[in-house]
């Protein structure tokens, strides 16, 4: 993920500045508030996908090869598969059937085929991954998958056809609390400009529900399944967003229903914004704001986001989608649910840019997620700075980029400060203080300098920004952008060094020497 810090004086807007430590965000310095903000952090963060994050989400199917399965030889004659089942699920079911048909083969189970989130310590989950299952257990797993997928297919079809009655007919009539949540989910989805919406049965664990919960559900059978949900926003997403939801199913009187969308979430499992509460939606020229807070806030942020897109395009160019999607939670716990974060993780984070996909992939939908408390405390200038910084990450695809942190974060600050002017003494306060004490940076900040435990965190952000500004002042803004793009596009481990030579006509060592002189001059030493 990429994180930012900011700074200000009473008269000058501060600097949001980023970093990219893996899997957790770092707190921002407490003495650098944005305009109109109490002395709290206004850091923003960019979440980098799973290759940079510990436990970055479930890996659906992993490297399992299923392409050689012959469905016509695997289907038991007494089990008919609905034609509406997705091809992926058909392959998973086919694997389960293959185990039933082939004597001596152990049932891997849908849970083991799809490496979805699981709770090894859950009650009744005593099986060892990969442990052989009996043919009867395999057959039961296939049966549950078929029943669950049929419910999910009716739900998805109802959303597409805008049939509230059909959607609600899939909900357990005895799940009164979930009935209200399901109505909210349906209403929320109806407000979104959906290009696609799919629900796909991934895996199940019939022993995951506690005995008390099973008893309360009643019916002839109940179980917990992991379901892949994917949706794509028309005009904003090049590819669908994907998350995995735990869905509880119950069968009563011969009919299977969905009884919960929120049971037994595991650490790191994100929740879609449309499942957290009633949403309001505002559409700007370049932005879509989805708010759990209020319609008024959604409208306000759409206007600010549009300005941020314009500011970024003036520097980066217009060869990107020029669209942003902003999530506005109403409380921090909702922000943490959206990000799959532990409580308190984002106490000092004003905004986070995340790729809304469980697996790392170029072109994944990107969202800017605001921290409601800190965003409410930001003034107009502060909000614009933060959103411009985050929008720079969206435009430059920072969630899937090999650029070093000093460049990614420094460039985002450079763009933000191009949109909103800030005095050097305010923006580089900590760095100048250190230089005046005789501590000139020995080199460009390494990745570890952007972690939460770094003692030079603020200086690292400020160093990255001034390195980018030096390139712009010396070579021109267009050359700075070209330098960034060259590093981003490189497939070579020497991409940064190559870009220094080919774009800037120098070496990193020579640039660092010039940068150190530049810092001394700015600090007045």
């Amino acid at each position: 993920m990429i994180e930012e810090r900011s700074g200000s004086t009473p008269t000058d807007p501060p600097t949001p500045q980023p970093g990219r430590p893996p899997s957790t965000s770092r707190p921002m310095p407490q003495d650098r508030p944005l305009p109109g903000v109490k002395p709290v952090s206004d850091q923003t963060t960019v979440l980098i996908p799973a290759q940079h994050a510990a436990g970055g989400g479930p890996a659906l199917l992993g490297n399992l090869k299923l392409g050689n399965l012959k469905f016509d030889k695997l289907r038991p004659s007494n089990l008919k598969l609905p034609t509406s089942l997705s091809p992926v699920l058909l392959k998973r079911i086919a694997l389960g059937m293959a185990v039933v048909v082939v004597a001596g083969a152990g049932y891997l189970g849908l849970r083991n085929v799809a490496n979805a989130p699981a709770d090894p310590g859950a009650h009744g989950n005593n099986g060892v991954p990969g442990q052989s299952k009996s043919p009867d257990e395999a057959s039961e797993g296939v049966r549950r998958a078929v029943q669950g997928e049929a419910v999910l297919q009716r739900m998805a079809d109802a959303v597409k056809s805008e049939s509230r009655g059909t959607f609600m007919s899939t909900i357990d009539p005895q799940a009164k609390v979930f009935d209200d949540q399901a109505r909210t989910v349906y209403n929320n989805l109806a407000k979104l400009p959906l290009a696609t919406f799919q629900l796909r049965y991934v895996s199940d664990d019939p022993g995951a529900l506690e005995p008390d919960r099973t008893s309360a559900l009643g019916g002839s059978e109940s179980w917990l399944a992991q379901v892949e949900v994917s949706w794509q926003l028309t005009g904003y997403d090049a590819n669908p967003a994907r998350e995995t939801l735990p869905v509880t199913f119950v069968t009563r009187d011969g009919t299977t229903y969905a009884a919960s969308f929120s049971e037994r979430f595991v650490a790191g499992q994100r929740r879609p914004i449309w499942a957290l509460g009633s949403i309001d939606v505002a559409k700007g020229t370049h932005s879509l704001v989805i708010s759990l807070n209020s319609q008024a806030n959604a409208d306000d942020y759409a206007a600010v986001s549009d300005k941020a897109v314009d500011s970024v395009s003036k520097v980066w160019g217009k060869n990107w989608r020029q669209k942003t999607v902003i999530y506005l939670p109403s409380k921090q716990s909702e922000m943490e649910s959206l990000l799959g974060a532990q409580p308190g993780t984002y106490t000092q984070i004003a905004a986070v840019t995340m790729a809304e996909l469980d697996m790392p992939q170029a072109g994944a939908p990107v969202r800017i997620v605001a921290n409601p408390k800190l965003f409410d405390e930001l003034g107009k200038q502060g909000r614009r700075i933060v959103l411009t910084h985050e929008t720079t990450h969206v435009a430059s695809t920072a969630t899937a980029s090999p650029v070093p942190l000093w460049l990614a974060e420094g460039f985002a600050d450079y763009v933000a400060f191009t949109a909103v002017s800030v005095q050097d003494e305010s923006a580089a306060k900590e760095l100048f203080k250190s230089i005046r004490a005789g501590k000139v940076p020995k080199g460009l900040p390494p990745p570890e300098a952007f972690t939460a435990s770094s003692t030079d965190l603020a200086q690292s952000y400020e160093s990255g920004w001034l390195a980018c500004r030096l390139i712009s002042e010396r070579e021109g803004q267009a050359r700075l952008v070209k330098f960034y793009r060259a590093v981003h596009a490189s497939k070579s481990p020497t991409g940064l060094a190559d870009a220094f030579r080919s774009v800037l006509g120098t070496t990193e060592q020579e640039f660092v020497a010039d940068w150190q002189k530049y810092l001394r001059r700015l600090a007045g030493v």
Side-chain angles (χ1 to χ4, degrees), residues 23 25 267-270 333 335-346:
S23 79
S25 59
Q269 194 166 7
R270 295 177 289 111
S333 61
M335 180 189 187
E336 291 159 349
S337 293
L338 288 167
L339 301 172
Q342 294 297 314
T345 303
Y346 294 98

Side-chain angles (χ1 to χ4, degrees), residues 177-443:
V177 173
F178 183 54
D179 183 87
D180 291 339
Q181 182 190 8
R183 291 179 189 279
T184 298
V185 166
Y186 179 85
N187 291 337
N188 287 345
L189 292 171
K191 296 176 183 178
L192 297 176
L194 292 176
T196 62
F197 181 77
Q198 293 181 321
L199 296 165
R200 182 175 294 164
Y201 197 105
V202 173
S203 64
D204 70 13
D205 186 351
L209 297 177
E210 296 289 345
D212 288 349
R213 174 59 170 153
T214 300
S215 177
L217 284 167
S220 58
E221 183 181 27
S222 58
W223 71 94
L224 182 68
Q226 295 295 336
V227 170
E228 180 193 80
V229 55
S230 65
W231 69 100
Q232 187 173 358
L233 300 177
T234 302
Y236 299 91
D237 297 338
N239 296 295
R242 285 191 177 89
E243 296 184 15
T244 306
L245 285 178
V247 176
T248 301
F249 292 96
V250 61
T251 300
R252 56 179 87 257
D253 300 326
T255 302
T256 298
Y257 303 96
S260 172
F261 277 171
S262 56
E263 207 146 6
R264 298 193 71 83
F265 275 91
V266 298
Q269 194 166 7
R270 295 177 289 111
R271 309 187 192 195
I273 192 168
W274 43 260
L276 293 177
S278 181
I279 64 172
D280 292 298
V281 178
K283 185 176 181 180
T285 304
H286 300 291
S287 60
L288 183 72
V289 181
I290 303 172
S291 175
L292 289 160
N293 203 325
S294 71
Q295 184 67 56
N297 272 348
D299 293 336
D300 288 345
Y301 282 104
V304 178
S305 298
D306 283 346
K307 291 180 181 178
V309 170
D310 288 337
S311 296
V312 171
S313 293
K314 287 177 182 177
V315 177
W316 183 252
K318 296 184 177 181
N319 56 337
W320 63 291
R321 294 184 69 87
Q322 297 190 75
K323 298 286 186 179
T324 56
V325 178
I326 318 295
Y327 287 168
L328 296 181
S330 63
K331 50 190 175 183
Q332 187 175 310
S333 61
E334 291 174 346
M335 180 189 187
E336 291 159 349
S337 293
L338 288 167
L339 301 172
Q342 294 297 314
T345 303
Y346 294 98
T347 300
Q348 300 181 69
I349 309 300
V352 176
T353 299
M354 71 169 183
E356 197 161 41
L357 200 67
D358 283 337
M359 294 292 290
Q361 176 181 313
V366 176
R367 315 295 190 223
I368 297 172
V369 185
N371 183 327
K373 181 178 184 297
L374 295 184
F375 252 56
D376 284 348
E377 294 171 343
L378 295 177
K380 265 185 183 178
Q381 297 279 60
R383 293 178 184 180
R384 186 174 177 190
I385 288 173
V386 169
L387 287 176
T388 302
H389 185 118
E390 298 298 336
T391 301
T392 303
H393 287 315
V394 175
S396 60
T397 61
T399 56
S401 177
V403 298
L405 293 182
W406 69 263
L407 179 56
E409 306 301 354
F411 181 71
D413 267 352
Y414 171 84
V415 177
F417 296 150
T418 300
V420 180
S421 180
V422 59
Q423 290 183 356
D424 292 352
E425 196 63 40
S426 171
K429 175 182 176 182
E430 296 302 318
L431 179 59
F432 288 173
K433 182 191 299 184
S434 179
I435 292 172
R436 289 162 186 159
K439 299 178 182 178
V440 178
K442 295 180 180 180

Side-chain angles (χ1 to χ4, degrees), residues 28-260:
M28 290 169 45
Q30 293 294 315
D31 60 348
R32 307 186 65 74
L34 285 169
V37 188
K38 300 172 185 177
V40 296
S41 164
D42 48 56
Q43 164 186 340
T44 59
T45 302
V46 172
L47 290 181
I48 295 301
Q51 73 267 34
H52 295 298
L60 303 180
L61 283 181
N63 296 320
L64 187 61
K65 304 298 183 183
L66 301 177
N68 295 325
L69 294 176
K70 305 296 185 182
F71 293 155
D72 57 335
K73 295 181 180 179
L74 298 177
R75 295 181 180 177
S77 58
N78 62 346
L79 180 59
K80 296 182 179 179
L81 297 178
T83 58
S84 62
L85 291 181
S86 67
V88 172
L89 183 63
L90 281 172
K91 290 183 179 180
R92 293 175 182 147
I93 292 175
L95 181 60
M97 291 179 177
V99 179
V100 175
V101 173
V102 180
Y107 173 53
L108 297 180
L110 297 175
R111 178 167 56 91
N112 295 328
V113 172
N115 187 19
D119 185 354
H123 177 83
N125 186 15
N126 298 318
V128 177
Q131 183 178 10
S132 296
K133 301 286 183 101
S134 70
D136 286 344
E137 289 176 304
S139 179
E140 286 299 293
V142 171
R143 179 186 56 78
R144 288 192 302 271
V146 171
Q147 292 176 349
E149 179 78 0
V151 173
L152 298 174
Q153 188 64 54
R154 290 200 304 274
M155 278 187 173
D157 288 345
V159 171
K160 295 172 188 175
S161 63
E162 301 181 1
S163 176
R164 184 196 307 270
T166 301
F167 186 88
M168 295 308 300
S169 72
T170 66
I171 307 304
D172 179 15
Q174 295 189 22
K176 301 304 181 185
V177 173
F178 183 54
D179 183 87
D180 291 339
Q181 182 190 8
R183 291 179 189 279
T184 298
V185 166
Y186 179 85
N187 291 337
N188 287 345
L189 292 171
K191 296 176 183 178
L192 297 176
L194 292 176
T196 62
F197 181 77
Q198 293 181 321
L199 296 165
R200 182 175 294 164
Y201 197 105
V202 173
S203 64
D204 70 13
D205 186 351
L209 297 177
E210 296 289 345
D212 288 349
R213 174 59 170 153
T214 300
S215 177
L217 284 167
S220 58
E221 183 181 27
S222 58
W223 71 94
L224 182 68
Q226 295 295 336
V227 170
E228 180 193 80
V229 55
S230 65
W231 69 100
Q232 187 173 358
L233 300 177
T234 302
Y236 299 91
D237 297 338
N239 296 295
R242 285 191 177 89
E243 296 184 15
T244 306
L245 285 178
V247 176
T248 301
F249 292 96
V250 61
T251 300
R252 56 179 87 257
D253 300 326
T255 302
T256 298
Y257 303 96
S260 172

